[in-house]
């Protein structure tokens, strides 16, 4: 069964894969790692301009490691989930200190870097170094849920059963496995999408368990929505925007102007301080972190 999936999906990928900068040879392992941090919960269209600026400014981990972590937060712009910027900065420092400035090839060493979990370690090892690892993001999980398990959506959180299935589906050959990881991810991003599955364009539609079952409706737990307006996330974003645009410490009054509700505003600011994204100073001033 596995080869019947591998061959058509990889052939489709060879023809339809997007030309993305982190897929080009000149991106190198660091470019792949930067893209993986940025693409978590953020669409490609928003990542592209920030990615290009980031790599132009910090082409190697050591270049980023020399800067204050607040500069990483500033350059992150409005990508969202800005703690990723701090984690990427921390990873750059560790790569510089532990690995001579080169992104490690070993999966265990990647996993030991700060801010890197199982998915990112597997993705970097696979996409940057062509190694054989199961790379399970939301798109891949959805493709596997439909094509193999026969359900519309995967569970809200990755399960042991999904990891086991991903390992079972992994091609034996290392190079083919790395290609399969990229191809199955692209298929989920472009064709087998969450809202509008394109079965007429899918290379494995004829053997998709969900389609063959008549596309039964999702019966599991309600899928989590991505609400933003009026949330603490929105307030945090507004507060960070003020600090990113300022190159000197910002008084409390300047932050107070960006959100009308004082309790929520204070909670959001406290959260930013706790997360290390904002540094409070004497006299009621705030800035992006310097250390």
């Amino acid at each position: 069964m596995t080869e019947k999936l591998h061959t058509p999906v990889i052939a489709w990928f060879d023809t339809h894969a997007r030309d993305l900068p982190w897929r080009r040879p000149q991106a190198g392992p660091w470019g792949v790692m930067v893209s993986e941090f940025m693409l978590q919960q953020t669409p490609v269209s928003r990542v592209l301009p920030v990615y290009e600026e980031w790599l132009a400014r910090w082409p190697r981990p050591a270049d980023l490691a020399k800067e204050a972590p607040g500069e990483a937060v500033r350059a992150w712009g409005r990508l969202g989930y800005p703690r990723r910027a701090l984690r990427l900065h921390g990873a750059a420092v560790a790569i510089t200190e532990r690995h001579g400035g080169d992104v490690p090839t070993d999966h265990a060493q990647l996993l030991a870097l700060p801010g890197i979990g199982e998915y990112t370690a597997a993705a970097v090892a696979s996409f940057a170094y062509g190694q054989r690892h199961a790379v399970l993001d939301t798109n891949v999980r959805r493709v596997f849920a439909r094509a193999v398990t026969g359900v519309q959506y995967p569970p809200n959180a990755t399960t042991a059963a999904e990891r086991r299935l991903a390992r079972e589906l992994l091609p034996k050959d290392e190079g083919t496995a790395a290609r399969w990881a990229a191809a199955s991810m692209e298929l989920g991003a472009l064709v087998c999408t969450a809202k509008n599955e394109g079965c007429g364009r899918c290379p494995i539609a004829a053997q998709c368990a969900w389609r063959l079952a008549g596309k039964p409706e999702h019966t599991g737990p309600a899928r989590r929505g991505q609400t933003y307006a009026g949330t603490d996330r929105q307030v945090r974003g507004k507060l960070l925007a003020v600090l990113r645009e300022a190159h000197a410490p910002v008084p409390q009054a300047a932050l107070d102007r960006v959100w009308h509700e004082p309790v929520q505003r204070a909670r959001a600011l406290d959260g930013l301080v706790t997360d290390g994204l904002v540094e409070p100073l004497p006299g009621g001033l705030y800035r992006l972190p310097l250390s």
Side-chain angles (χ1 to χ4, degrees), residues 241-274:
V242 174
L243 294 164
R244 280 199 312 269
E245 292 161 11
H247 290 275
V250 171
Q252 178 78 53
L255 298 176
D256 289 346
R257 286 195 289 269
V258 304
W259 195 254
H260 61 282
E261 209 290 303
V263 174
Q264 187 179 27
R265 186 178 65 234
R267 183 171 65 240
L269 182 57
D270 286 346
L272 290 170
V273 171
T274 299

PDB file of all heavy atoms in Angstrom, residues 241-274:
ATOM      1  N   ALA A 241       3.634  46.118  18.846  1.00  0.00           N
ATOM      2  CA  ALA A 241       3.820  46.981  17.673  1.00  0.00           C
ATOM      3  C   ALA A 241       4.406  48.328  18.079  1.00  0.00           C
ATOM      4  O   ALA A 241       5.276  48.877  17.391  1.00  0.00           O
ATOM      5  CB  ALA A 241       2.494  47.171  16.937  1.00  0.00           C
ATOM      6  N   VAL A 242       3.939  48.882  19.198  1.00  0.00           N
ATOM      7  CA  VAL A 242       4.471  50.159  19.688  1.00  0.00           C
ATOM      8  C   VAL A 242       5.955  50.018  20.011  1.00  0.00           C
ATOM      9  O   VAL A 242       6.778  50.866  19.639  1.00  0.00           O
ATOM     10  CB  VAL A 242       3.687  50.632  20.929  1.00  0.00           C
ATOM     11  CG1 VAL A 242       4.329  51.886  21.534  1.00  0.00           C
ATOM     12  CG2 VAL A 242       2.232  50.903  20.576  1.00  0.00           C
ATOM     13  N   LEU A 243       6.317  48.946  20.683  1.00  0.00           N
ATOM     14  CA  LEU A 243       7.701  48.748  21.102  1.00  0.00           C
ATOM     15  C   LEU A 243       8.612  48.437  19.923  1.00  0.00           C
ATOM     16  O   LEU A 243       9.783  48.833  19.906  1.00  0.00           O
ATOM     17  CB  LEU A 243       7.770  47.629  22.139  1.00  0.00           C
ATOM     18  CG  LEU A 243       7.072  47.959  23.468  1.00  0.00           C
ATOM     19  CD1 LEU A 243       6.839  46.703  24.272  1.00  0.00           C
ATOM     20  CD2 LEU A 243       7.894  48.953  24.263  1.00  0.00           C
ATOM     21  N   ARG A 244       8.086  47.722  18.916  1.00  0.00           N
ATOM     22  CA  ARG A 244       8.902  47.412  17.733  1.00  0.00           C
ATOM     23  C   ARG A 244       9.252  48.684  16.962  1.00  0.00           C
ATOM     24  O   ARG A 244      10.335  48.794  16.390  1.00  0.00           O
ATOM     25  CB  ARG A 244       8.158  46.451  16.800  1.00  0.00           C
ATOM     26  CG  ARG A 244       8.214  44.997  17.208  1.00  0.00           C
ATOM     27  CD  ARG A 244       7.866  44.087  16.033  1.00  0.00           C
ATOM     28  NE  ARG A 244       6.662  44.535  15.354  1.00  0.00           N
ATOM     29  CZ  ARG A 244       5.433  44.130  15.661  1.00  0.00           C
ATOM     30  NH1 ARG A 244       5.257  43.273  16.652  1.00  0.00           N
ATOM     31  NH2 ARG A 244       4.392  44.569  14.998  1.00  0.00           N
ATOM     32  N   GLU A 245       8.311  49.602  16.917  1.00  0.00           N
ATOM     33  CA  GLU A 245       8.518  50.815  16.131  1.00  0.00           C
ATOM     34  C   GLU A 245       9.362  51.853  16.865  1.00  0.00           C
ATOM     35  O   GLU A 245       9.856  52.804  16.253  1.00  0.00           O
ATOM     36  CB  GLU A 245       7.161  51.408  15.749  1.00  0.00           C
ATOM     37  CG  GLU A 245       6.390  50.530  14.755  1.00  0.00           C
ATOM     38  CD  GLU A 245       4.900  50.838  14.719  1.00  0.00           C
ATOM     39  OE1 GLU A 245       4.515  51.871  15.310  1.00  0.00           O
ATOM     40  OE2 GLU A 245       4.145  50.055  14.119  1.00  0.00           O
ATOM     41  N   ALA A 246       9.532  51.671  18.167  1.00  0.00           N
ATOM     42  CA  ALA A 246      10.310  52.626  18.968  1.00  0.00           C
ATOM     43  C   ALA A 246      11.739  52.129  19.124  1.00  0.00           C
ATOM     44  O   ALA A 246      11.974  50.929  19.278  1.00  0.00           O
ATOM     45  CB  ALA A 246       9.672  52.800  20.335  1.00  0.00           C
ATOM     46  N   HIS A 247      12.688  53.048  19.082  1.00  0.00           N
ATOM     47  CA  HIS A 247      14.089  52.678  19.276  1.00  0.00           C
ATOM     48  C   HIS A 247      14.644  53.264  20.571  1.00  0.00           C
ATOM     49  O   HIS A 247      15.848  53.377  20.746  1.00  0.00           O
ATOM     50  CB  HIS A 247      14.910  53.104  18.069  1.00  0.00           C
ATOM     51  CG  HIS A 247      14.598  52.292  16.846  1.00  0.00           C
ATOM     52  ND1 HIS A 247      15.191  51.083  16.569  1.00  0.00           N
ATOM     53  CD2 HIS A 247      13.685  52.497  15.851  1.00  0.00           C
ATOM     54  CE1 HIS A 247      14.691  50.587  15.451  1.00  0.00           C
ATOM     55  NE2 HIS A 247      13.777  51.429  14.991  1.00  0.00           N
ATOM     56  N   ALA A 248      13.727  53.629  21.452  1.00  0.00           N
ATOM     57  CA  ALA A 248      14.074  54.077  22.797  1.00  0.00           C
ATOM     58  C   ALA A 248      12.990  53.544  23.719  1.00  0.00           C
ATOM     59  O   ALA A 248      11.895  53.173  23.269  1.00  0.00           O
ATOM     60  CB  ALA A 248      14.124  55.603  22.860  1.00  0.00           C
ATOM     61  N   PRO A 249      13.254  53.446  25.019  1.00  0.00           N
ATOM     62  CA  PRO A 249      12.225  52.956  25.940  1.00  0.00           C
ATOM     63  C   PRO A 249      10.921  53.747  25.818  1.00  0.00           C
ATOM     64  O   PRO A 249      10.928  54.955  25.582  1.00  0.00           O
ATOM     65  CB  PRO A 249      12.880  53.148  27.309  1.00  0.00           C
ATOM     66  CG  PRO A 249      14.345  53.015  27.035  1.00  0.00           C
ATOM     67  CD  PRO A 249      14.541  53.674  25.697  1.00  0.00           C
ATOM     68  N   VAL A 250       9.819  53.046  25.982  1.00  0.00           N
ATOM     69  CA  VAL A 250       8.484  53.615  25.767  1.00  0.00           C
ATOM     70  C   VAL A 250       7.792  53.803  27.117  1.00  0.00           C
ATOM     71  O   VAL A 250       7.791  52.890  27.947  1.00  0.00           O
ATOM     72  CB  VAL A 250       7.651  52.672  24.874  1.00  0.00           C
ATOM     73  CG1 VAL A 250       6.206  53.120  24.807  1.00  0.00           C
ATOM     74  CG2 VAL A 250       8.262  52.603  23.477  1.00  0.00           C
ATOM     75  N   PRO A 251       7.192  54.975  27.369  1.00  0.00           N
ATOM     76  CA  PRO A 251       6.477  55.181  28.637  1.00  0.00           C
ATOM     77  C   PRO A 251       5.147  54.432  28.665  1.00  0.00           C
ATOM     78  O   PRO A 251       4.566  54.123  27.620  1.00  0.00           O
ATOM     79  CB  PRO A 251       6.254  56.692  28.672  1.00  0.00           C
ATOM     80  CG  PRO A 251       6.248  57.113  27.235  1.00  0.00           C
ATOM     81  CD  PRO A 251       7.218  56.194  26.539  1.00  0.00           C
ATOM     82  N   GLN A 252       4.688  54.154  29.861  1.00  0.00           N
ATOM     83  CA  GLN A 252       3.420  53.448  30.045  1.00  0.00           C
ATOM     84  C   GLN A 252       2.279  54.138  29.306  1.00  0.00           C
ATOM     85  O   GLN A 252       1.422  53.485  28.715  1.00  0.00           O
ATOM     86  CB  GLN A 252       3.095  53.390  31.541  1.00  0.00           C
ATOM     87  CG  GLN A 252       1.772  52.719  31.881  1.00  0.00           C
ATOM     88  CD  GLN A 252       1.846  51.209  31.816  1.00  0.00           C
ATOM     89  OE1 GLN A 252       2.709  50.610  32.429  1.00  0.00           O
ATOM     90  NE2 GLN A 252       0.938  50.592  31.070  1.00  0.00           N
ATOM     91  N   ALA A 253       2.283  55.463  29.294  1.00  0.00           N
ATOM     92  CA  ALA A 253       1.185  56.209  28.658  1.00  0.00           C
ATOM     93  C   ALA A 253       1.058  55.874  27.180  1.00  0.00           C
ATOM     94  O   ALA A 253      -0.050  55.813  26.635  1.00  0.00           O
ATOM     95  CB  ALA A 253       1.400  57.710  28.852  1.00  0.00           C
ATOM     96  N   ALA A 254       2.181  55.645  26.507  1.00  0.00           N
ATOM     97  CA  ALA A 254       2.135  55.315  25.077  1.00  0.00           C
ATOM     98  C   ALA A 254       1.501  53.950  24.862  1.00  0.00           C
ATOM     99  O   ALA A 254       0.797  53.726  23.862  1.00  0.00           O
ATOM    100  CB  ALA A 254       3.542  55.354  24.500  1.00  0.00           C
ATOM    101  N   LEU A 255       1.726  53.041  25.795  1.00  0.00           N
ATOM    102  CA  LEU A 255       1.116  51.720  25.690  1.00  0.00           C
ATOM    103  C   LEU A 255      -0.367  51.770  26.044  1.00  0.00           C
ATOM    104  O   LEU A 255      -1.181  51.051  25.461  1.00  0.00           O
ATOM    105  CB  LEU A 255       1.845  50.735  26.599  1.00  0.00           C
ATOM    106  CG  LEU A 255       3.325  50.496  26.274  1.00  0.00           C
ATOM    107  CD1 LEU A 255       3.959  49.579  27.318  1.00  0.00           C
ATOM    108  CD2 LEU A 255       3.493  49.888  24.879  1.00  0.00           C
ATOM    109  N   ASP A 256      -0.713  52.616  26.984  1.00  0.00           N
ATOM    110  CA  ASP A 256      -2.113  52.716  27.415  1.00  0.00           C
ATOM    111  C   ASP A 256      -3.017  53.157  26.277  1.00  0.00           C
ATOM    112  O   ASP A 256      -4.211  52.843  26.260  1.00  0.00           O
ATOM    113  CB  ASP A 256      -2.243  53.703  28.580  1.00  0.00           C
ATOM    114  CG  ASP A 256      -1.651  53.160  29.876  1.00  0.00           C
ATOM    115  OD1 ASP A 256      -1.380  51.941  29.940  1.00  0.00           O
ATOM    116  OD2 ASP A 256      -1.441  53.960  30.814  1.00  0.00           O
ATOM    117  N   ARG A 257      -2.469  53.888  25.317  1.00  0.00           N
ATOM    118  CA  ARG A 257      -3.304  54.445  24.244  1.00  0.00           C
ATOM    119  C   ARG A 257      -3.755  53.396  23.228  1.00  0.00           C
ATOM    120  O   ARG A 257      -4.682  53.658  22.455  1.00  0.00           O
ATOM    121  CB  ARG A 257      -2.542  55.557  23.510  1.00  0.00           C
ATOM    122  CG  ARG A 257      -2.431  56.843  24.301  1.00  0.00           C
ATOM    123  CD  ARG A 257      -2.001  58.004  23.418  1.00  0.00           C
ATOM    124  NE  ARG A 257      -0.603  57.891  22.995  1.00  0.00           N
ATOM    125  CZ  ARG A 257       0.423  58.415  23.673  1.00  0.00           C
ATOM    126  NH1 ARG A 257       0.198  59.083  24.800  1.00  0.00           N
ATOM    127  NH2 ARG A 257       1.649  58.289  23.225  1.00  0.00           N
ATOM    128  N   VAL A 258      -3.116  52.215  23.210  1.00  0.00           N
ATOM    129  CA  VAL A 258      -3.430  51.273  22.139  1.00  0.00           C
ATOM    130  C   VAL A 258      -4.616  50.363  22.446  1.00  0.00           C
ATOM    131  O   VAL A 258      -5.100  49.665  21.556  1.00  0.00           O
ATOM    132  CB  VAL A 258      -2.199  50.403  21.776  1.00  0.00           C
ATOM    133  CG1 VAL A 258      -1.020  51.263  21.412  1.00  0.00           C
ATOM    134  CG2 VAL A 258      -1.848  49.427  22.891  1.00  0.00           C
ATOM    135  N   TRP A 259      -5.082  50.357  23.713  1.00  0.00           N
ATOM    136  CA  TRP A 259      -6.226  49.478  24.047  1.00  0.00           C
ATOM    137  C   TRP A 259      -7.032  50.130  25.151  1.00  0.00           C
ATOM    138  O   TRP A 259      -6.487  50.572  26.154  1.00  0.00           O
ATOM    139  CB  TRP A 259      -5.745  48.095  24.465  1.00  0.00           C
ATOM    140  CG  TRP A 259      -6.846  47.066  24.465  1.00  0.00           C
ATOM    141  CD1 TRP A 259      -7.476  46.519  25.549  1.00  0.00           C
ATOM    142  CD2 TRP A 259      -7.458  46.475  23.315  1.00  0.00           C
ATOM    143  NE1 TRP A 259      -8.424  45.622  25.150  1.00  0.00           N
ATOM    144  CE2 TRP A 259      -8.450  45.573  23.782  1.00  0.00           C
ATOM    145  CE3 TRP A 259      -7.278  46.634  21.943  1.00  0.00           C
ATOM    146  CZ2 TRP A 259      -9.238  44.825  22.905  1.00  0.00           C
ATOM    147  CZ3 TRP A 259      -8.060  45.878  21.079  1.00  0.00           C
ATOM    148  CH2 TRP A 259      -9.029  44.985  21.562  1.00  0.00           C
ATOM    149  N   HIS A 260      -8.334  50.139  24.968  1.00  0.00           N
ATOM    150  CA  HIS A 260      -9.220  50.919  25.836  1.00  0.00           C
ATOM    151  C   HIS A 260      -9.478  50.263  27.186  1.00  0.00           C
ATOM    152  O   HIS A 260      -9.779  50.949  28.160  1.00  0.00           O
ATOM    153  CB  HIS A 260     -10.560  51.133  25.125  1.00  0.00           C
ATOM    154  CG  HIS A 260     -11.270  49.839  24.818  1.00  0.00           C
ATOM    155  ND1 HIS A 260     -10.906  49.031  23.763  1.00  0.00           N
ATOM    156  CD2 HIS A 260     -12.290  49.201  25.457  1.00  0.00           C
ATOM    157  CE1 HIS A 260     -11.693  47.962  23.742  1.00  0.00           C
ATOM    158  NE2 HIS A 260     -12.529  48.034  24.754  1.00  0.00           N
ATOM    159  N   GLU A 261      -9.391  48.938  27.267  1.00  0.00           N
ATOM    160  CA  GLU A 261      -9.808  48.238  28.482  1.00  0.00           C
ATOM    161  C   GLU A 261      -8.589  48.016  29.384  1.00  0.00           C
ATOM    162  O   GLU A 261      -7.701  47.233  29.060  1.00  0.00           O
ATOM    163  CB  GLU A 261     -10.445  46.897  28.085  1.00  0.00           C
ATOM    164  CG  GLU A 261     -11.514  46.409  29.072  1.00  0.00           C
ATOM    165  CD  GLU A 261     -10.897  45.976  30.387  1.00  0.00           C
ATOM    166  OE1 GLU A 261     -10.013  45.092  30.357  1.00  0.00           O
ATOM    167  OE2 GLU A 261     -11.264  46.540  31.433  1.00  0.00           O
ATOM    168  N   PRO A 262      -8.521  48.685  30.533  1.00  0.00           N
ATOM    169  CA  PRO A 262      -7.278  48.679  31.316  1.00  0.00           C
ATOM    170  C   PRO A 262      -6.917  47.325  31.917  1.00  0.00           C
ATOM    171  O   PRO A 262      -5.736  46.985  32.005  1.00  0.00           O
ATOM    172  CB  PRO A 262      -7.542  49.721  32.406  1.00  0.00           C
ATOM    173  CG  PRO A 262      -9.031  49.828  32.502  1.00  0.00           C
ATOM    174  CD  PRO A 262      -9.544  49.577  31.121  1.00  0.00           C
ATOM    175  N   VAL A 263      -7.909  46.533  32.348  1.00  0.00           N
ATOM    176  CA  VAL A 263      -7.589  45.252  32.976  1.00  0.00           C
ATOM    177  C   VAL A 263      -6.983  44.293  31.952  1.00  0.00           C
ATOM    178  O   VAL A 263      -5.954  43.649  32.195  1.00  0.00           O
ATOM    179  CB  VAL A 263      -8.843  44.635  33.636  1.00  0.00           C
ATOM    180  CG1 VAL A 263      -8.545  43.239  34.157  1.00  0.00           C
ATOM    181  CG2 VAL A 263      -9.348  45.534  34.760  1.00  0.00           C
ATOM    182  N   GLN A 264      -7.620  44.207  30.790  1.00  0.00           N
ATOM    183  CA  GLN A 264      -7.094  43.321  29.748  1.00  0.00           C
ATOM    184  C   GLN A 264      -5.730  43.815  29.254  1.00  0.00           C
ATOM    185  O   GLN A 264      -4.819  43.017  29.005  1.00  0.00           O
ATOM    186  CB  GLN A 264      -8.072  43.235  28.574  1.00  0.00           C
ATOM    187  CG  GLN A 264      -7.657  42.200  27.543  1.00  0.00           C
ATOM    188  CD  GLN A 264      -8.634  42.102  26.379  1.00  0.00           C
ATOM    189  OE1 GLN A 264      -9.320  43.063  26.061  1.00  0.00           O
ATOM    190  NE2 GLN A 264      -8.697  40.934  25.754  1.00  0.00           N
ATOM    191  N   ARG A 265      -5.593  45.120  29.139  1.00  0.00           N
ATOM    192  CA  ARG A 265      -4.320  45.695  28.691  1.00  0.00           C
ATOM    193  C   ARG A 265      -3.195  45.364  29.679  1.00  0.00           C
ATOM    194  O   ARG A 265      -2.099  44.961  29.280  1.00  0.00           O
ATOM    195  CB  ARG A 265      -4.465  47.201  28.537  1.00  0.00           C
ATOM    196  CG  ARG A 265      -3.249  47.895  27.939  1.00  0.00           C
ATOM    197  CD  ARG A 265      -3.504  49.383  27.792  1.00  0.00           C
ATOM    198  NE  ARG A 265      -3.675  50.030  29.089  1.00  0.00           N
ATOM    199  CZ  ARG A 265      -4.720  50.786  29.425  1.00  0.00           C
ATOM    200  NH1 ARG A 265      -5.712  50.988  28.586  1.00  0.00           N
ATOM    201  NH2 ARG A 265      -4.783  51.346  30.629  1.00  0.00           N
ATOM    202  N   ALA A 266      -3.478  45.509  30.961  1.00  0.00           N
ATOM    203  CA  ALA A 266      -2.469  45.198  31.973  1.00  0.00           C
ATOM    204  C   ALA A 266      -2.133  43.713  31.975  1.00  0.00           C
ATOM    205  O   ALA A 266      -0.960  43.322  32.123  1.00  0.00           O
ATOM    206  CB  ALA A 266      -2.982  45.626  33.349  1.00  0.00           C
ATOM    207  N   ARG A 267      -3.146  42.873  31.791  1.00  0.00           N
ATOM    208  CA  ARG A 267      -2.910  41.429  31.750  1.00  0.00           C
ATOM    209  C   ARG A 267      -2.027  41.061  30.554  1.00  0.00           C
ATOM    210  O   ARG A 267      -1.105  40.242  30.665  1.00  0.00           O
ATOM    211  CB  ARG A 267      -4.240  40.691  31.677  1.00  0.00           C
ATOM    212  CG  ARG A 267      -4.104  39.175  31.702  1.00  0.00           C
ATOM    213  CD  ARG A 267      -5.448  38.488  31.836  1.00  0.00           C
ATOM    214  NE  ARG A 267      -6.295  38.719  30.674  1.00  0.00           N
ATOM    215  CZ  ARG A 267      -7.483  39.317  30.717  1.00  0.00           C
ATOM    216  NH1 ARG A 267      -7.969  39.776  31.867  1.00  0.00           N
ATOM    217  NH2 ARG A 267      -8.205  39.470  29.618  1.00  0.00           N
ATOM    218  N   ALA A 268      -2.314  41.675  29.406  1.00  0.00           N
ATOM    219  CA  ALA A 268      -1.530  41.393  28.205  1.00  0.00           C
ATOM    220  C   ALA A 268      -0.084  41.848  28.377  1.00  0.00           C
ATOM    221  O   ALA A 268       0.859  41.135  28.004  1.00  0.00           O
ATOM    222  CB  ALA A 268      -2.158  42.075  26.994  1.00  0.00           C
ATOM    223  N   LEU A 269       0.102  43.022  28.978  1.00  0.00           N
ATOM    224  CA  LEU A 269       1.455  43.530  29.185  1.00  0.00           C
ATOM    225  C   LEU A 269       2.219  42.652  30.175  1.00  0.00           C
ATOM    226  O   LEU A 269       3.394  42.330  29.968  1.00  0.00           O
ATOM    227  CB  LEU A 269       1.403  44.978  29.682  1.00  0.00           C
ATOM    228  CG  LEU A 269       2.753  45.667  29.897  1.00  0.00           C
ATOM    229  CD1 LEU A 269       3.583  45.664  28.617  1.00  0.00           C
ATOM    230  CD2 LEU A 269       2.543  47.100  30.393  1.00  0.00           C
ATOM    231  N   ASP A 270       1.548  42.238  31.238  1.00  0.00           N
ATOM    232  CA  ASP A 270       2.182  41.343  32.213  1.00  0.00           C
ATOM    233  C   ASP A 270       2.605  40.036  31.547  1.00  0.00           C
ATOM    234  O   ASP A 270       3.675  39.490  31.832  1.00  0.00           O
ATOM    235  CB  ASP A 270       1.225  41.041  33.367  1.00  0.00           C
ATOM    236  CG  ASP A 270       1.061  42.230  34.321  1.00  0.00           C
ATOM    237  OD1 ASP A 270       1.886  43.158  34.228  1.00  0.00           O
ATOM    238  OD2 ASP A 270       0.118  42.215  35.126  1.00  0.00           O
ATOM    239  N   GLY A 271       1.758  39.549  30.649  1.00  0.00           N
ATOM    240  CA  GLY A 271       2.081  38.311  29.947  1.00  0.00           C
ATOM    241  C   GLY A 271       3.305  38.468  29.058  1.00  0.00           C
ATOM    242  O   GLY A 271       4.149  37.571  28.980  1.00  0.00           O
ATOM    243  N   LEU A 272       3.411  39.613  28.405  1.00  0.00           N
ATOM    244  CA  LEU A 272       4.574  39.872  27.557  1.00  0.00           C
ATOM    245  C   LEU A 272       5.856  39.927  28.386  1.00  0.00           C
ATOM    246  O   LEU A 272       6.906  39.424  27.974  1.00  0.00           O
ATOM    247  CB  LEU A 272       4.380  41.183  26.794  1.00  0.00           C
ATOM    248  CG  LEU A 272       3.319  41.173  25.690  1.00  0.00           C
ATOM    249  CD1 LEU A 272       3.059  42.591  25.178  1.00  0.00           C
ATOM    250  CD2 LEU A 272       3.744  40.273  24.538  1.00  0.00           C
ATOM    251  N   VAL A 273       5.766  40.537  29.563  1.00  0.00           N
ATOM    252  CA  VAL A 273       6.929  40.609  30.447  1.00  0.00           C
ATOM    253  C   VAL A 273       7.308  39.206  30.925  1.00  0.00           C
ATOM    254  O   VAL A 273       8.482  38.819  30.910  1.00  0.00           O
ATOM    255  CB  VAL A 273       6.646  41.545  31.638  1.00  0.00           C
ATOM    256  CG1 VAL A 273       7.761  41.461  32.667  1.00  0.00           C
ATOM    257  CG2 VAL A 273       6.481  42.992  31.154  1.00  0.00           C
ATOM    258  N   THR A 274       6.305  38.437  31.340  1.00  0.00           N
ATOM    259  CA  THR A 274       6.549  37.077  31.823  1.00  0.00           C
ATOM    260  C   THR A 274       7.185  36.216  30.740  1.00  0.00           C
ATOM    261  O   THR A 274       8.072  35.395  31.020  1.00  0.00           O
ATOM    262  CB  THR A 274       5.234  36.435  32.289  1.00  0.00           C
ATOM    263  OG1 THR A 274       4.693  37.215  33.358  1.00  0.00           O
ATOM    264  CG2 THR A 274       5.454  35.012  32.767  1.00  0.00           C
TER     265      THR A 274
END
